[in-house]
Amino acid sequence: MESEKVLQRTSSLLQNTALSDVTFIVGPPSASKKYVGHRVLLAMTSPVFEAMFYGDMADKSKVIRITDLAPIGFENLLSTVGIPSECCLLRLSSPIIECLPQNQNRLCD
């Protein structure tokens, strides 16, 4: 099925940090975590990220620092707007990346 091919390809791309085009460094310098992601996938899943990356005041930075928010707060923010952190962002401190199986319907609806 074509949608399965799209999901497999998307999963493969998400697991390749070399193809990511945005990095978030979240938290105070002493306790920050790094997340890499894909602007287009974040924008597809959230109007907040769409405006952030492609709106009139788009942020073109490759690295976005968020020092006034703890990493858990960033992950909660993502889930609040409907983006599980494992869907479109990869936490670099995580040894295992599992993406898409639990989120297939979000990308195919």
Side-chain angles (χ1 to χ4, degrees), residues 64-89:
I64 298 172
R65 297 181 191 281
I66 306 172
T67 59
D68 59 346
L69 183 65
I72 190 68
F74 184 67
E75 292 174 15
N76 288 338
L77 171 68
L78 293 174
S79 66
T80 299
V81 295
I83 305 171
S85 60
E86 69 273 9
C87 178
C88 301
L89 292 170

Side-chain angles (χ1 to χ4, degrees), residues 27-103:
S30 61
S32 64
K33 289 190 179 177
K34 188 183 292 187
Y35 301 81
V36 295
H38 305 268
R39 291 174 189 264
V40 70
L41 293 175
L42 288 163
M44 283 172 43
T45 57
S46 166
V48 173
F49 283 109
E50 180 180 6
M52 180 181 184
F53 297 134
Y54 301 108
D56 293 338
M57 304 287 286
D59 190 336
K60 303 295 184 195
S61 304
K62 287 192 176 269
V63 176
I64 298 172
R65 297 181 191 281
I66 306 172
T67 59
D68 59 346
L69 183 65
I72 190 68
F74 184 67
E75 292 174 15
N76 288 338
L77 171 68
L78 293 174
S79 66
T80 299
V81 295
I83 305 171
S85 60
E86 69 273 9
C87 178
C88 301
L89 292 170
L90 307 176
R91 185 167 57 186
L92 292 182
S93 61
S94 176
I96 298 173
I97 299 166
E98 290 187 20
C99 193
L100 292 179
Q102 70 275 23
N103 302 310

Side-chain angles (χ1 to χ4, degrees), residues 3 6-7 10-11 14 41 44-45 87-88 99-100 103-109:
S3 64
V6 170
L7 287 172
T10 303
S11 179
L14 287 172
L41 293 175
M44 283 172 43
T45 57
C87 178
C88 301
C99 193
L100 292 179
N103 302 310
Q104 293 181 42
N105 296 332
R106 290 179 196 269
L107 297 176
C108 296
D109 286 345

